[in-house]
Amino acid sequence: MQHWVLCELLNSVRSHFTHLTYVDAHSMAPVARRRTSSNPKFDTVFEQLPGQKSFYEQAWQALSLGPGTYPNSANFVQQLWQLPGNCSMLLCEKDDETVSLLRTWASQLNGLDIEIANRDWRNRFRKGLPKPSGLMFISFDPNMYDRNGPPKQAKHENMYPADFKLVLDAVNDLCGGILIQISTYSANNDNAQNKVAASLDHILKDGRFTRAARINTDGNMMSLVYTRDVVWEEELKSLSDRFNKWFG
Protein backbone atom coordinates (compact mmCIF):
# COMPACT_ATOMS: atom_id res chain seq x y z
CA MET A 1 0.00 0.00 0.00
CA GLN A 2 2.66 2.52 1.02
CA HIS A 3 4.60 2.18 -2.23
CA TRP A 4 1.56 2.05 -4.48
CA VAL A 5 0.55 5.41 -2.98
CA LEU A 6 4.12 6.72 -3.25
CA CYS A 7 4.31 5.88 -6.95
CA GLU A 8 0.94 7.46 -7.71
CA LEU A 9 1.98 10.60 -5.84
CA LEU A 10 5.24 10.78 -7.79
CA ASN A 11 3.35 10.54 -11.06
CA SER A 12 1.16 13.47 -10.03
CA VAL A 13 4.14 15.52 -8.85
CA ARG A 14 6.12 15.07 -12.05
CA SER A 15 3.19 16.35 -14.11
CA HIS A 16 3.48 19.69 -12.27
CA PHE A 17 7.15 19.97 -11.25
CA THR A 18 10.52 19.33 -12.88
CA HIS A 19 12.42 19.44 -9.56
CA LEU A 20 11.88 17.20 -6.53
CA THR A 21 13.37 17.19 -3.03
CA TYR A 22 12.58 13.84 -1.40
CA VAL A 23 13.00 13.33 2.36
CA ASP A 24 12.60 9.88 3.92
CA ALA A 25 12.62 9.60 7.71
CA HIS A 26 12.68 5.77 7.68
CA SER A 27 14.78 4.83 4.67
CA MET A 28 15.63 1.16 5.19
CA ALA A 29 18.00 -0.78 2.90
CA PRO A 30 17.99 -0.15 -0.87
CA VAL A 31 16.82 -3.73 -1.38
CA ALA A 32 15.31 -5.88 1.38
CA ARG A 33 16.47 -9.49 1.23
CA ARG A 34 15.02 -11.04 4.38
CA ARG A 35 11.50 -12.39 4.81
CA THR A 36 10.07 -12.92 8.29
CA SER A 37 6.90 -14.66 7.15
CA SER A 38 5.13 -15.93 4.05
CA ASN A 39 2.75 -13.64 2.18
CA PRO A 40 0.93 -15.51 -0.62
CA LYS A 41 -0.89 -12.42 -1.92
CA PHE A 42 2.36 -10.46 -2.09
CA ASP A 43 4.11 -13.32 -3.89
CA THR A 44 1.23 -13.68 -6.34
CA VAL A 45 1.40 -9.99 -7.24
CA PHE A 46 5.17 -10.29 -7.74
CA GLU A 47 4.81 -13.29 -10.04
CA GLN A 48 2.28 -11.43 -12.19
CA LEU A 49 4.23 -8.18 -12.57
CA PRO A 50 3.48 -5.80 -14.17
CA GLY A 51 -0.09 -7.04 -13.65
CA GLN A 52 -2.38 -4.04 -14.09
CA LYS A 53 0.64 -2.00 -15.23
CA SER A 54 0.32 0.54 -12.45
CA PHE A 55 3.32 2.80 -11.91
CA TYR A 56 4.07 0.80 -8.77
CA GLU A 57 4.06 -2.57 -10.53
CA GLN A 58 6.19 -1.38 -13.43
CA ALA A 59 8.77 0.19 -11.12
CA TRP A 60 8.81 -2.88 -8.87
CA GLN A 61 9.38 -5.14 -11.87
CA ALA A 62 12.26 -2.96 -13.09
CA LEU A 63 13.91 -2.83 -9.66
CA SER A 64 13.40 -6.33 -8.25
CA LEU A 65 16.22 -8.84 -8.16
CA GLY A 66 13.81 -11.76 -7.86
CA PRO A 67 11.53 -13.43 -5.28
CA GLY A 68 12.31 -12.50 -1.69
CA THR A 69 13.74 -9.07 -2.56
CA TYR A 70 12.03 -5.72 -2.38
CA PRO A 71 13.19 -2.13 -3.10
CA ASN A 72 12.91 0.72 -0.62
CA SER A 73 11.13 4.02 -1.22
CA ALA A 74 14.23 5.84 -2.46
CA ASN A 75 14.68 3.18 -5.13
CA PHE A 76 11.12 3.74 -6.31
CA VAL A 77 11.76 7.49 -6.43
CA GLN A 78 14.91 7.23 -8.53
CA GLN A 79 13.23 4.73 -10.85
CA LEU A 80 10.12 6.82 -11.47
CA TRP A 81 11.32 10.40 -11.37
CA GLN A 82 13.03 10.17 -14.80
CA LEU A 83 14.76 13.53 -14.34
CA PRO A 84 17.75 12.51 -12.18
CA GLY A 85 19.55 15.83 -12.50
CA ASN A 86 16.53 17.52 -10.97
CA CYS A 87 16.11 15.30 -7.92
CA SER A 88 17.75 15.46 -4.50
CA MET A 89 17.20 13.20 -1.50
CA LEU A 90 17.70 13.27 2.25
CA LEU A 91 17.55 9.71 3.59
CA CYS A 92 17.51 9.18 7.36
CA GLU A 93 18.39 5.77 8.79
CA LYS A 94 19.24 4.62 12.32
CA ASP A 95 20.86 1.24 11.63
CA ASP A 96 24.61 1.45 10.89
CA GLU A 97 24.69 -1.53 8.53
CA THR A 98 21.78 -0.13 6.54
CA VAL A 99 23.45 3.28 6.36
CA SER A 100 26.48 1.61 4.78
CA LEU A 101 24.28 -0.12 2.19
CA LEU A 102 22.52 3.16 1.41
CA ARG A 103 25.82 4.98 0.90
CA THR A 104 27.06 2.28 -1.46
CA TRP A 105 23.81 2.47 -3.42
CA ALA A 106 23.91 6.27 -3.58
CA SER A 107 27.50 6.27 -4.84
CA GLN A 108 26.44 4.22 -7.87
CA LEU A 109 23.79 6.70 -9.03
CA ASN A 110 24.74 9.49 -11.38
CA GLY A 111 23.04 12.87 -11.30
CA LEU A 112 21.32 12.45 -7.93
CA ASP A 113 22.23 14.62 -4.94
CA ILE A 114 21.74 12.24 -1.98
CA GLU A 115 22.49 12.89 1.70
CA ILE A 116 22.47 9.86 4.01
CA ALA A 117 21.82 10.99 7.58
CA ASN A 118 22.92 8.49 10.22
CA ARG A 119 20.99 7.97 13.48
CA ASP A 120 17.40 8.86 14.35
CA TRP A 121 15.56 11.11 11.86
CA ARG A 122 14.63 13.50 14.65
CA ASN A 123 18.25 14.54 15.07
CA ARG A 124 18.50 15.53 11.38
CA PHE A 125 15.17 17.38 11.37
CA ARG A 126 16.26 19.46 14.36
CA LYS A 127 19.16 20.76 12.28
CA GLY A 128 16.73 22.03 9.66
CA LEU A 129 15.77 20.59 6.30
CA PRO A 130 17.43 21.49 2.99
CA LYS A 131 15.90 24.33 1.01
CA PRO A 132 13.75 22.55 -1.56
CA SER A 133 14.04 22.93 -5.28
CA GLY A 134 10.57 22.44 -6.72
CA LEU A 135 8.30 20.35 -4.51
CA MET A 136 9.39 18.79 -1.20
CA PHE A 137 8.03 15.28 -0.59
CA ILE A 138 8.46 14.02 3.00
CA SER A 139 7.79 10.36 3.80
CA PHE A 140 7.23 8.83 7.24
CA ASP A 141 6.96 5.06 7.61
CA PRO A 142 6.85 4.27 11.35
CA ASN A 143 5.59 1.02 12.78
CA MET A 144 2.68 3.06 14.11
CA TYR A 145 1.55 6.54 15.06
CA ASP A 146 0.46 6.62 18.71
CA ARG A 147 -1.78 9.62 19.27
CA ASN A 148 -1.55 9.09 23.05
CA GLY A 149 2.10 10.04 23.21
CA PRO A 150 5.09 7.93 24.19
CA PRO A 151 5.21 5.49 27.10
CA LYS A 152 7.93 5.89 29.71
CA GLN A 153 10.31 4.23 27.25
CA ALA A 154 9.55 5.74 23.85
CA LYS A 155 10.00 3.51 20.83
CA HIS A 156 12.09 5.21 18.15
CA GLU A 157 10.35 3.17 15.45
CA ASN A 158 6.98 4.71 16.41
CA MET A 159 5.82 8.31 16.03
CA TYR A 160 3.97 10.52 18.50
CA PRO A 161 2.24 13.92 18.45
CA ALA A 162 5.41 15.72 19.57
CA ASP A 163 7.21 14.31 16.52
CA PHE A 164 4.87 16.09 14.16
CA LYS A 165 5.32 19.33 16.06
CA LEU A 166 9.03 18.84 15.37
CA VAL A 167 8.18 18.33 11.69
CA LEU A 168 6.25 21.60 11.62
CA ASP A 169 9.22 23.41 13.17
CA ALA A 170 11.50 21.93 10.50
CA VAL A 171 9.35 23.09 7.58
CA ASN A 172 8.09 26.35 9.08
CA ASP A 173 10.38 28.64 7.07
CA LEU A 174 10.42 26.63 3.83
CA CYS A 175 8.80 28.07 0.74
CA GLY A 176 7.02 26.21 -2.04
CA GLY A 177 4.80 23.16 -2.15
CA ILE A 178 5.21 20.41 0.45
CA LEU A 179 3.64 16.97 0.38
CA ILE A 180 3.75 14.59 3.37
CA GLN A 181 2.93 10.88 3.27
CA ILE A 182 2.48 9.11 6.62
CA SER A 183 2.06 5.33 6.64
CA THR A 184 1.10 3.46 9.81
CA TYR A 185 0.52 -0.24 10.36
CA SER A 186 -1.13 -0.75 13.74
CA ALA A 187 -4.22 0.50 15.57
CA ASN A 188 -3.05 -0.82 18.95
CA ASN A 189 -3.36 1.25 22.13
CA ASP A 190 -6.65 2.89 21.11
CA ASN A 191 -5.32 4.19 17.79
CA ALA A 192 -8.23 3.48 15.49
CA GLN A 193 -7.71 4.99 12.06
CA ASN A 194 -10.37 7.68 12.48
CA LYS A 195 -8.74 8.78 15.74
CA VAL A 196 -5.26 8.79 14.20
CA ALA A 197 -6.44 10.87 11.24
CA ALA A 198 -8.21 13.34 13.55
CA SER A 199 -5.09 13.70 15.71
CA LEU A 200 -2.82 14.39 12.75
CA ASP A 201 -5.35 16.72 11.12
CA HIS A 202 -5.41 18.79 14.31
CA ILE A 203 -1.63 18.99 14.65
CA LEU A 204 -0.74 19.59 11.01
CA LYS A 205 -3.33 22.30 10.43
CA ASP A 206 -1.14 24.55 12.61
CA GLY A 207 1.45 24.29 9.83
CA ARG A 208 -1.20 25.05 7.16
CA PHE A 209 -1.33 21.43 6.00
CA THR A 210 -4.59 19.90 4.87
CA ARG A 211 -5.36 16.23 4.38
CA ALA A 212 -5.68 15.39 0.68
CA ALA A 213 -6.18 11.61 0.90
CA ARG A 214 -6.60 8.64 3.21
CA ILE A 215 -5.89 5.15 1.89
CA ASN A 216 -6.28 1.95 3.90
CA THR A 217 -6.44 -1.80 3.34
CA ASP A 218 -7.90 -2.83 6.70
CA GLY A 219 -8.21 -1.50 10.23
CA ASN A 220 -4.43 -1.33 10.71
CA MET A 221 -2.62 -0.36 7.50
CA MET A 222 -3.17 3.22 6.38
CA SER A 223 -1.46 6.01 4.43
CA LEU A 224 -2.40 9.65 4.95
CA VAL A 225 -1.39 12.37 2.50
CA TYR A 226 -1.11 16.02 3.55
CA THR A 227 -0.28 19.03 1.42
CA ARG A 228 0.70 22.66 1.85
CA ASP A 229 0.73 25.18 -1.00
CA VAL A 230 -0.11 22.44 -3.51
CA VAL A 231 -2.74 23.93 -5.82
CA TRP A 232 -3.48 20.62 -7.57
CA GLU A 233 -4.30 18.67 -4.40
CA GLU A 234 -7.78 17.88 -5.76
CA GLU A 235 -6.09 15.33 -8.04
CA LEU A 236 -5.16 13.31 -4.97
CA LYS A 237 -8.65 12.87 -3.55
CA SER A 238 -9.30 9.89 -5.85
CA LEU A 239 -6.31 7.92 -4.49
CA SER A 240 -8.39 5.81 -2.11
CA ASP A 241 -10.89 4.72 -4.75
CA ARG A 242 -8.11 4.03 -7.24
CA PHE A 243 -6.20 1.95 -4.71
CA ASN A 244 -9.26 -0.10 -3.80
CA LYS A 245 -9.90 -0.77 -7.46
CA TRP A 246 -6.28 -1.86 -7.96
CA PHE A 247 -6.11 -3.91 -4.75
CA GLY A 248 -9.35 -5.68 -5.58
Side-chain angles (χ1 to χ4, degrees):
M1 179 195 67
Q2 174 205 357
H3 285 141
W4 185 95
V5 175
L6 169 71
C7 293
E8 293 293 318
L9 290 173
L10 287 170
N11 182 60
S12 293
V13 172
R14 67 185 182 186
S15 68
H16 296 279
F17 289 88
T18 57
H19 289 75
L20 174 71
T21 300
Y22 178 72
V23 180
D24 195 335
H26 307 92
S27 295
M28 302 197 300
V31 179
R33 291 184 170 85
R34 293 190 294 271
R35 296 278 295 271
T36 57
S37 62
S38 62
N39 190 324
K41 190 174 184 69
F42 185 92
D43 292 338
T44 297
V45 173
F46 174 84
E47 291 166 1
Q48 295 175 351
L49 290 176
Q52 299 179 36
K53 298 184 179 179
S54 66
F55 299 109
Y56 165 62
E57 290 170 305
Q58 293 180 70
W60 183 10
Q61 182 183 47
L63 291 166
S64 182
L65 301 178
T69 66
Y70 191 74
N72 69 350
S73 297
N75 244 324
F76 278 106
V77 172
Q78 66 87 19
Q79 176 66 28
L80 283 171
W81 186 245
Q82 298 180 349
L83 296 167
N86 297 333
C87 179
S88 61
M89 298 189 195
L90 167 58
L91 307 179
C92 304
E93 175 54 51
K94 191 174 188 297
D95 179 72
D96 289 339
E97 181 181 356
T98 303
V99 167
S100 179
L101 292 171
L102 285 166
R103 287 175 174 161
T104 299
W105 170 80
S107 70
Q108 298 168 349
L109 298 176
N110 295 321
L112 281 177
D113 176 16
I114 302 178
E115 175 189 347
I116 312 296
N118 202 351
R119 304 306 180 205
D120 193 290
W121 66 270
R122 299 167 181 84
N123 297 335
R124 181 61 181 82
F125 273 58
R126 290 189 183 99
K127 295 178 181 179
L129 295 178
K131 183 178 179 180
S133 178
L135 180 125
M136 174 172 277
F137 185 151
I138 308 176
S139 173
F140 296 98
D141 182 30
N143 283 354
M144 69 175 294
Y145 170 73
D146 190 340
R147 67 189 181 88
N148 303 296
K152 290 184 179 180
Q153 188 65 38
K155 298 179 179 180
H156 75 269
E157 67 272 18
N158 289 347
M159 294 184 71
Y160 307 97
D163 290 328
F164 283 98
K165 294 175 182 178
L166 170 60
V167 172
L168 292 185
D169 288 341
V171 303
N172 182 55
D173 295 328
L174 298 181
C175 298
I178 302 177
L179 186 155
I180 297 177
Q181 180 184 357
I182 305 157
S183 298
T184 181
Y185 303 93
S186 173
N188 289 340
N189 196 31
D190 193 24
N191 283 290
Q193 291 177 347
N194 286 339
K195 294 180 179 180
V196 164
S199 172
L200 289 170
D201 289 353
H202 178 73
I203 294 169
L204 292 175
K205 73 178 182 180
D206 289 341
R208 297 187 296 109
F209 285 91
T210 58
R211 174 154 47 99
R214 169 180 161 182
I215 305 95
N216 62 284
T217 60
D218 54 28
N220 287 301
M221 296 179 64
M222 175 173 66
S223 270
L224 298 170
V225 179
Y226 291 86
T227 62
R228 186 177 84 182
D229 297 333
V230 175
V231 298
W232 42 270
E233 66 177 6
E234 287 294 322
E235 296 178 15
L236 308 179
K237 295 190 181 300
S238 65
L239 277 171
S240 180
D241 288 340
R242 283 155 45 199
F243 175 79
N244 290 333
K245 182 179 179 180
W246 172 80
F247 191 66

